[in-house]
Amino acid sequence: MNRTRLSAAALLVVSQLSGGCASTTRTTAPEAVSTTTPEAAQQPATPTTPAAPVTPPTPPFQVVTEQFADLRILRYQVPGFEALEPQQKELLYYLYEAALSGRDIIYDQNYKHNLRVRRTLDAVWKANEERRTASTNQQQIDQATRFATYTKRVWFSNGIHHHYSTRKFVPECTPAYFKELIFATDSKQLPLEPGESVTKFLATMTPILFDPNVAPKRVNQEAGKDLVKTSASNFYEGLTQAEVEAFYKKKINPKDPQPVSYGLNSKLVKDRQGRVQERKWMTEGMYDKALTQVVFWLEKAITVAENPEQKLALQKLVQFYHSGDLRKWDEYNVAWVHDTQSLTDVVNGFIEVYGDPLGYRASYESVVSFKDVEATKRIKAIGDEAQWFEDNSPIKPEHRKKNVIGITAKVITTVVEAGDAAPSTPIGINLPNASWIRKEHGSKSVNLGNIVDAYSAADAGGMLDEFAFNDAEKQRARQYAALAGKLHTDMHEVIGHASGQLNKGVGTPKETLKSYASALEEARADLVALYYLPDAKLAQLGVLPAGGEVARAEYDSYIRNGLLTQLVRLKLGETVEEAHMRNRQMVAKWAFEKGQKDKVIERVTREGNTYFRVNDYEKLRGLFGQLLRELQRITSEGDYAAGKALIETYGVKVDPVLHKEVLARYQKLNIAPYAGFIQPRLVPVVKDGKITDVKVEYPTDFSQQMLDYGRKYRLLPNFN
């Protein structure tokens, strides 16, 4: 549950600022954005000396490559890779291959038909492109363009459900056109099952793609519904929510001081006798072929590990994949937390549980990286003072950790992301998720520096001008919001997720707070950051200038986002279901309501447009502290009723009149609210059978990368 993504609104403003921003917004971008400065000076020639050759200017690195539907495709660079030692480059290459070898898993986890859908789209892509680029029939060109957009949306979302809202999207072309493509493609290229005809295949696939009522939502969080039966994610089959909860109630001991993360690496099914069983994801279980390949590359990485600590962590990860034993997963996480000296690092495994409506099962993801030593100084300064922040927190003394240990904070340079971390990516990560490991061994908090920089380089357009209240707010954002956003992310991950403790005998949040656990945890971490941003301690640490303008910029942004701009991610009539969006709306709405008497936050209408203006930043900080105290109490005590009441009252419902207004104002900006990345490509240099160097290449074509991945990392059958 410990991950930060750029908010909808945050994506949109971030690039208007002078640097990376963690919680603001994003917009359309220029054709190319320069991240390098070519040499301009030349020495003049003399009569007796030939003129020096003119060095052609370095072309700018193109960050933004294309925009379609509600998405933009970006690229990021990997600065500093060339300066790494050959052994470190070789290690990163092996981890890169391990990451991508698990790509099929996330598709299958998201929906049991996703792999077949993706392989169908891959197979007909060529026929569709011929119609799109070579046809003179405008109607056919339109159909082909719509189908190409749908295909790229599936690639982006790792399936047929939107990566953020989790609602199903359908092709805008006709089923008849899809049929044409199927019959124009060699049947050997189609993902047919044994003995299946093309006609039967088409009959099966058409409603999966085109019928909005077939698997309408990947993750359903609607109160009062059976969240298991109404969610399309491939984590459960043939079970009800009550059966799942009863199964784990028998297994889980709430008094266990070191509880394993039950359900993290398995699918829950019924056998022929109706007994509930777990199908474990392991090298000799479900996802065997993909995980065997992941392990193959991890074992190569072990041979070139930087030090014994890193080697041990990778060995423990391999043991986990072989055994499927969740105790081994805990052993790996403990070893990983204690590997603090390595420059290179990797997140690989079944990590976050946002895809499971009940919060048990985790999605496959991997992030391969190395430390940005210079940029780490800011985040490390905060991590080093974690105990001070805990001791001075507004939460109840009994809920504070008496001894905050093992927080490792750093800024990383991302090399590749895969699974649930790509193409849409987090900008901050805090792991491991197990509360007892964090308490006894610590955690790692990272800011994905080059990802944030890429977002910043993608020009945002006019979102800030449209939704900020006045020129003072806009100027404050342009001057300070970049730093404010980075600090918010740093503190959210480093001291937010790592703060507080559960009362003795209280189960983990996924057991006590159930489907509300993720939203409440993200809100708790956000509130820690928001509470401390104005604190003089940060200026004393040298991470921000004195005066309070940085905190004010973040307060403006957070309230504007939570009450207004993140609504652009919803269609009219929809409620808020995604955990991070629920978190932000809940915090902002609660603060707005509780501060109404003193007009701490004021709703202002000007020329028919709605704005939210912060009038009293000091009182707003006090409100954030009050809510943080209550959220920590809810978490520490496992108060499900109170947690549910907060989310359902403030985090779910949307004012339809305000929503309609926001969508109308937003539409004229021509902004794609979501963005993701084409991944860099690592290419080994081999001499006499050994890797002597590794080069980084930067592909420019999203579609081609998806097709290449589909061929190279096709490691699972259509159904698993």
Side-chain angles (χ1 to χ4, degrees), residues 198-274:
V198 174
T199 300
K200 184 177 180 181
F201 168 77
L202 180 64
T204 300
M205 298 304 296
T206 298
I208 291 173
L209 269 67
F210 287 89
D211 189 341
N213 297 313
V214 173
K217 203 178 288 186
R218 176 166 61 86
V219 183
N220 185 27
Q221 294 285 6
E222 188 177 348
K225 296 293 179 71
D226 187 312
L227 303 186
V228 169
K229 293 183 70 174
T230 57
S231 296
S233 58
N234 192 24
F235 291 139
Y236 305 97
E237 195 153 349
L239 289 106
T240 65
Q241 180 177 345
E243 288 174 321
V244 174
E245 291 173 343
F247 177 80
Y248 285 110
K249 188 175 183 179
K250 292 179 181 178
K251 294 177 74 74
I252 294 172
N253 176 11
K255 296 182 179 180
D256 185 350
Q258 297 183 350
V260 299
S261 302
Y262 285 106
L264 193 77
N265 66 328
S266 66
K267 178 178 179 179
L268 206 60
V269 300
K270 284 184 178 179
D271 63 15
R272 293 181 179 179
Q273 286 73 42

Side-chain angles (χ1 to χ4, degrees), residues 387-400:
Q387 189 65 59
W388 184 93
F389 289 109
E390 186 78 351
D391 292 343
N392 290 275
S393 173
I395 66 178
K396 292 183 178 181
E398 61 266 31
H399 296 156
R400 297 174 190 157

Side-chain angles (χ1 to χ4, degrees), residues 30-38 58-64 77 453 456-458:
E31 288 292 317
V33 180
S34 175
T35 58
T36 58
T37 305
T58 303
F61 183 82
Q62 184 177 342
V63 176
V64 183
Q77 292 178 287
D453 289 343
S456 299

Side-chain angles (χ1 to χ4, degrees), residues 85-115:
E85 296 295 328
Q87 180 178 330
Q88 292 170 326
K89 293 182 184 178
E90 184 177 357
L91 171 64
L92 290 170
Y93 171 69
Y94 294 145
L95 296 175
Y96 160 95
E97 288 289 356
L100 292 169
S101 293
R103 178 176 181 259
D104 272 357
I105 295 174
I106 187 62
Y107 276 87
D108 192 76
Q109 288 180 317
N110 284 345
Y111 180 48
K112 66 180 180 179
H113 294 288
N114 270 340
L115 284 174

